[in-house]
Amino acid sequence: MDNRPIGVFDSGLGGLTAVKALRRLLPGEDLIYFGDTARVPYGGRSRETLLKYARQDIAFLRSFDLKAVLIACGTVTSTSLDTLRKENDLPVLGVVEPSCREALAVTKNKKIGMIATLASARSGAYERTLKGLDADVQVVSQPCPLFVPLVENGRFRQGDVVIETVAREYLTPLIEAGVDTLILGCTHYPLLKDIIGEICGPGVTLIDSGAASARALRQQLAAEGQLTDRQQGETRFYVSDRPEDFEKLAAVFLEEPLSRGAEQEKLPVMISVRGEQYFDDVDPNATELMTEGTLEQTEDGFLLSYQETELTGMEGTLTTFEIGPGRVILRRSGSVNSQMVFEEGRQHTSLYETPYGELSVDIQTSRLLHNLTERGGLMEIKYSIAVEHVVTGRNCFKIRVRRK
Ligand code: DGL
């Protein structure tokens, strides 16, 4: 028995096909879902980029103590499963093999169609797996690069002429080839099940890769004695971009409102903070802190947070930089409480609460620049501190952020 949560990820909404099935099959399990909505679609990207994204997705999920990871993404499974398995000391499951096994169990004429993203089709993973399981099978593959962007934009309903026209064009060669089974090899595609089913007709059985992977995970957890003994679990949703858009479509898709809203993911990062203090013209007094923290994307910038340590003399303090266009607010809370506002060429009064009492200081910023993206970057802030109009020191922050 293992009550830890299961981590599930995809580039966006698609992995919810696995979540929906997991909630039905294993209602007691806690799930942590991550949708990389800031970078969807994954389907046209290179193997190197996909591996990098997938490593970051897993690093985020593993900031929770998980018992297993389900890669609910055909594209990541097709290109990166073996490497990710080697790199992680917990069970990592994908969608390719479970879908292939289910397809082989239902096909009668051994002609199996497979639709997926460009990267999945290019990798040949589905064909290799199908032929590895049954050398006599005939596989007809068709990449459908427009499906994911259309689904992410909510165009998955029957009667939508755009999606229906695109689907007809992609599916016609498969129907002409006479397949009797069609693997929906991208987890977004089960959202188009009704449209695809109508075009293909009743003679073609559709295989839902998300649901197939959920069934495989249940089997594996049961075999390892790792199922929970809880009756009712909960699902937490994280995304790398605006939660609102995801929440709306996720609720439609899961056919139930999310019990709690989606949260913006906090990216685990390594932060090096060099603080320099100049008094007159003597050499600067510098402290350098290397620590783990988080980077969060906000409406107009970033939120960078880390815990101070003994090294800076502020142990027990959480430092947060709120980085917006042309302005950075530094907040400290805990053993030291303060707020400083930096804007190049401007002065702001800040209040310091120290163990010895409150102190009001003027912060004059002479330089503020950063090139942060969600991948990390640099930030530099030069400022002087004045107490009652007397400059008491000049300071500089040099902060380097790197994604873990
Ligand atoms: N759901 C993903 C998959 O299964 C979609 C990839 C994408 O974002 O293009 O392949």
Side-chain angles (χ1 to χ4, degrees):
M1 190 262 293
D2 189 336
N3 280 333
R4 289 175 300 167
I6 299 164
V8 183
F9 76 95
D10 179 41
S11 57
L13 288 166
L16 295 178
T17 48
V19 168
K20 197 171 173 181
L22 282 173
R23 299 221 302 198
R24 196 165 26 83
L25 296 170
L26 300 170
E29 299 291 345
D30 280 344
L31 309 177
I32 311 274
Y33 184 77
F34 174 62
D36 194 4
T37 50
R39 302 191 290 202
V40 67
Y42 277 9
R45 299 185 196 269
S46 69
R47 203 177 261 271
E48 293 71 33
T49 302
L50 289 166
L51 182 58
K52 186 172 85 185
Y53 287 181
R55 282 180 170 140
Q56 292 170 343
D57 300 342
I58 292 182
F60 168 69
L61 283 176
R62 294 202 68 184
S63 59
F64 300 87
D65 182 19
L66 303 176
K67 63 178 164 193
V69 169
L70 176 59
I71 305 176
C73 175
T75 308
V76 172
T77 309
S78 298
T79 55
S80 317
L81 177 66
D82 293 344
T83 311
L84 296 169
R85 271 198 175 140
K86 279 188 209 125
E87 290 173 356
N88 286 280
D89 55 355
L90 83 180
V92 178
L93 270 88
V95 300
V96 174
E97 195 179 320
S99 324
C100 292
R101 287 192 183 277
E102 291 198 358
L104 288 167
V106 299
T107 183
K108 296 204 171 63
N109 67 5
K110 293 210 177 193
K111 280 189 189 163
I112 297 179
M114 195 293 292
I115 54 174
T117 64
L118 263 179
S120 298
R122 240 184 344 234
S123 77
Y126 281 97
E127 288 89 319
R128 252 192 327 275
T129 307
L130 285 165
K131 291 217 180 263
L133 292 166
D134 183 341
D136 298 333
V137 77
Q138 196 185 325
V139 187
V140 190
S141 298
Q142 171 70 49
C144 307
L146 290 175
F147 275 175
V148 171
L150 284 169
V151 168
E152 287 286 330
N153 282 286
R155 314 290 297 256
F156 49 76
R157 294 183 180 84
Q158 272 183 300
D160 183 315
V161 298
V162 176
I163 188 71
E164 288 189 343
T165 309
V166 171
R168 198 158 284 117
E169 185 171 322
Y170 285 148
L171 297 170
T172 303
L174 298 162
I175 301 166
E176 285 171 358
V179 303
D180 73 349
T181 306
L182 178 62
I183 298 178
L184 310 181
C186 163
T187 52
H188 278 71
Y189 299 179
L191 283 162
L192 303 172
K193 215 162 33 191
D194 293 343
I195 294 172
I196 296 172
E198 190 163 306
I199 295 171
C200 291
V204 179
T205 308
L206 306 183
I207 305 294
D208 175 333
S209 51
S213 69
R215 286 187 277 272
L217 179 61
R218 176 179 60 173
Q219 207 173 9
Q220 160 137 4
L221 292 177
E224 301 292 323
Q226 275 194 297
L227 290 170
T228 181
D229 63 353
R230 250 189 328 256
Q231 292 303 304
Q232 191 58 48
E234 74 160 356
T235 307
R236 294 175 65 174
F237 298 93
Y238 292 87
V239 286
S240 49
D241 212 321
R242 283 169 45 86
E244 298 81 0
D245 304 336
F246 175 86
E247 278 167 9
K248 236 185 293 152
L249 288 176
V252 173
F253 177 55
L254 290 171
E255 291 170 318
E256 55 179 310
L258 309 191
S259 59
R260 50 199 284 177
E263 293 166 53
Q264 180 109 20
E265 147 211 48
K266 292 184 180 168
L267 303 166
V269 286
M270 281 311 295
I271 307 173
S272 97
V273 186
R274 185 176 163 83
E276 295 172 355
Q277 285 179 301
Y278 300 83
F279 301 100
D280 302 323
D281 279 331
V282 294
D283 282 345
N285 176 355
T287 51
E288 192 139 5
L289 174 69
M290 183 77 168
T291 186
E292 290 179 18
T294 58
L295 183 70
E296 229 175 306
Q297 250 175 304
T298 59
E299 200 60 12
D300 58 1
F302 295 94
L303 215 57
L304 179 68
S305 308
Y306 59 90
Q307 288 288 343
E308 297 287 346
T309 68
E310 277 167 16
L311 195 91
T312 55
M314 290 185 281
E315 206 184 352
T317 301
L318 176 74
T319 293
T320 303
F321 285 91
E322 191 182 309
I323 304 158
R327 170 198 269 243
V328 171
I329 303 174
L330 164 59
R331 290 201 176 84
R332 292 204 160 108
S333 64
S335 58
V336 175
N337 291 288
S338 66
Q339 176 173 315
M340 289 156 105
V341 180
F342 304 102
E343 255 181 300
E344 196 167 295
R346 295 200 51 185
Q347 180 169 310
H348 288 273
T349 303
S350 304
L351 210 57
Y352 259 75
E353 189 193 294
T354 71
Y356 319 104
E358 278 190 354
L359 193 64
S360 165
V361 297
D362 290 324
I363 305 290
Q364 170 79 40
T365 307
S366 57
R367 185 181 172 86
L368 168 61
L369 42 94
H370 80 80
N371 63 1
L372 280 181
T373 67
E374 89 279 351
R375 292 185 298 279
L378 289 168
M379 177 163 73
E380 192 174 316
I381 306 174
K382 269 194 178 150
Y383 62 100
S384 61
I385 301 181
V387 181
E388 288 172 7
H389 309 296
V390 179
V391 174
T392 58
R394 286 180 296 118
N395 294 31
C396 181
F397 275 122
K398 286 183 182 147
I399 299 178
R400 184 184 291 275
V401 182
R402 190 167 46 79
R403 260 188 86 169
K404 281 177 67 182

